[in-house]
Structure formats: structure tokens, C-alpha cells
Amino acid sequence: MIFDSQLEASKEAFRWVKESMEAGAEVLGLATGSSPETLYQLLRESDLDFRETVSINLDEYYGLAPDHPQSYHSYMEDQLFHAKPFKESYLPDGTQADAGQETARYDQILVDHPIDLQILGIGTNAHIGFNEPGAPFDGRTQRVDLAPATIQANQRFFGSLDEVPRQAYSMGIGSIMEAKEIILLAFGQAKAGAIQASIEGPVTEAVPASILQRHPHVLVLLDREAASDLSPETLSQVKQAQV
Ligand code: GLP
């Protein structure tokens, strides 16, 4: 669906989250970045109660302690958890040097708590979570190298390029695809190419988000800028929101 603004698209995402919760969703998969910020604002301001809900985040920078201001632990605390505590909230531990131990721990969390609804953003290179181009479609949690484009894009959150971590722990694409429902949020011109390739291009590991074409329950919420590279054929098929 295409909206005039991030706010209107996020209101639709909020409706989906609310309906999923009312339908019995017990586990939410959460994302970070600027794309879900408005959704989190709507959740903070809502009367939804997450105290019986489990949250599982997609990823965390390797090398950042939870209390680092740019860690995804800090992001989630600021954006949502301080206002809306969950029963349990899981993120990868960016301080765990033993990748085998941390990825096994996280994969077990995903086995114990199958995700009902996954929120996703998308990188300018079509990454989902921190699954960069070339990541295997059947992948599980891994410690990954960030692509140069991702380091560049995320520089805005750090003091300098040098301060951006070069690695992260990320849930794998195989786990993301096991979520029962997925909401993909993308806003702004910088995402137009990634959205076009993911929706209209071939399903290929070179374009991580293209795998979503094979998921049975995906809601793609875009603003006009993020949708601006889509073909007239695609645009004629997608719902233009009446806002
Ligand atoms: C980050 C995160 C992704 C996120 C993406 C887009 O690197 N690891 O989960 O979807 O980049 O971020 P933004 O929404 O700020 O554009």
C-alpha cells in the first residue's frame, strides 16, 4: 500500500499490530532504524498492553554494550520498552565474543517463541535485519560483516564513520521467513531502488528482501517516494491509500 506520508503508513501498520494482538499474537519480531519510529510512537501513545507479549529483535551491533547510546538495546528502550514493557524482550548480545554460543542462544529463543508478526525495515541495498546481499535465504542467526553501503547509511547515528561497528549479530533470513505475518516499512527516495528490485526483480540472494515475494502474508507499506521506481503495472495492482 502506498501512502502520502510515513505517519499514514504507520497508522496502517499500527492497525495490523493491534489486530494481530487481538487475534492472539504472542510474539512480535521488532526492527530498529528510522522506518519503524512512527509506528513505535503510535504504540507508545496507544492503550495496547504488551505485558503478556514476547518481543524478539532482528539484530544488534557487535561490540556495542547494551547501554551504548547507539546500541539497538538503547534504541528499543527509548522507542518502546520504557513506555510499553513486554513480558520478555530479546535482542542479540553485542558483547558476546563467542559467535557460536550467541547464535545458538538466539536460534533457541526463536524456536521457543515462534514469531507471529515481524516488523521489517529495508536497507538501501535491500538488506533485511543485517542480512546483506548474498546472505543465504535459509540462514539462521549469524555474526555478519556489514556492507560498505550499510556502514555509510548508518553513519548518521554515530559521531563518525570510524565509530560505526563493522559487524553485527543478525537473525537469518530463514528465521524471518518463518514469521506468520510480516510488515515491511520503507520511506523516502533512498529506498526506491531497493523497493523496486525487491518487488519487481527476480528472487535472488543478491537482493535479500526479494525473498518476501515468496512469503504468504506480507504487508508492504510505502510512502510515495519509496514507491517512485515501481512500474505502472505494479502501481496499478497495489492499493493506493485514500488518505
Ligand atoms: C539498519 C537495520 C535494519 C533497518 C535498516 C534500515 O541497518 N539493521 O534492520 O531496516 O538499516 O534503516 P532505516 O529504517 O533507518 O532506513
Side-chain angles (χ1 to χ4, degrees):
M1 297 174 75
I2 301 170
F3 296 82
D4 281 337
S5 67
Q6 177 164 347
L7 176 60
E8 295 305 327
S10 300
K11 285 180 183 170
E12 182 66 21
F14 175 83
R15 276 192 285 277
W16 257 54
V17 174
K18 190 168 189 283
E19 280 174 23
S20 290
M21 300 277 299
E22 286 166 358
E26 295 173 347
V27 183
L28 298 186
L30 299 178
T32 51
S34 52
S35 304
E37 280 182 0
T38 310
L39 169 61
Y40 293 151
Q41 181 193 339
L42 296 172
L43 293 175
R44 285 197 307 272
E45 293 168 354
S46 75
D47 55 7
L48 287 183
D49 184 346
F50 297 97
R51 284 175 295 181
E52 293 303 320
T53 308
V54 170
S55 71
I56 305 181
N57 264 77
L58 286 166
D59 47 17
E60 176 59 287
Y61 287 114
Y62 178 59
L64 296 194
D67 63 356
H68 187 287
Q70 298 309 331
S71 76
Y72 288 162
H73 281 80
S74 294
Y75 172 102
M76 290 309 307
E77 192 57 35
D78 294 347
Q79 294 287 327
L80 191 58
F81 296 158
H82 80 274
K84 294 287 182 185
F86 281 63
K87 181 166 77 173
E88 294 159 25
S89 287
Y90 297 102
L91 289 95
D93 178 358
T95 66
Q96 175 56 267
D98 185 335
Q101 193 175 317
E102 180 58 10
T103 57
R105 180 187 77 89
Y106 219 64
D107 283 340
Q108 188 59 46
I109 290 168
L110 290 162
V111 169
D112 294 343
H113 305 285
I115 294 174
D116 292 301
L117 175 62
Q118 175 69 55
I119 310 296
L120 282 184
I122 184 170
T124 52
N125 61 2
H127 73 222
I128 46 177
F130 269 130
N131 294 285
E132 301 284 20
F137 280 159
D138 60 356
R140 300 289 145 185
T141 308
Q142 292 180 62
R143 189 162 75 199
V144 297
D145 294 328
L146 304 190
T150 302
I151 295 167
Q152 188 74 43
N154 290 359
Q155 182 190 352
R156 66 191 196 279
F157 299 113
F158 292 83
S160 70
L161 199 61
D162 285 347
E163 289 173 57
V164 185
R166 267 37 181 181
Q167 290 189 310
Y169 284 113
S170 180
M171 194 192 289
I173 293 177
S175 303
I176 293 170
M177 287 294 284
E178 284 170 12
K180 294 190 192 87
E181 295 180 322
I182 296 176
I183 299 177
L184 176 67
L185 301 166
F187 308 115
Q189 190 65 40
K191 302 294 172 67
I195 286 296
Q196 189 278 334
S198 301
I199 292 178
E200 296 180 349
V203 176
T204 165
E205 289 176 351
V207 181
S210 66
I211 189 66
L212 299 175
Q213 294 179 31
R214 300 222 175 118
H215 194 285
H217 297 292
V218 183
L219 178 65
V220 180
L221 301 177
L222 309 173
D223 65 6
R224 297 196 184 284
E225 289 74 25
S228 60
D229 281 359
L230 292 173
S231 70
E233 291 73 35
T234 303
L235 291 172
S236 68
Q237 288 161 25
V238 300
K239 194 167 161 198
Q240 308 274 334
Q242 301 297 316
V243 292

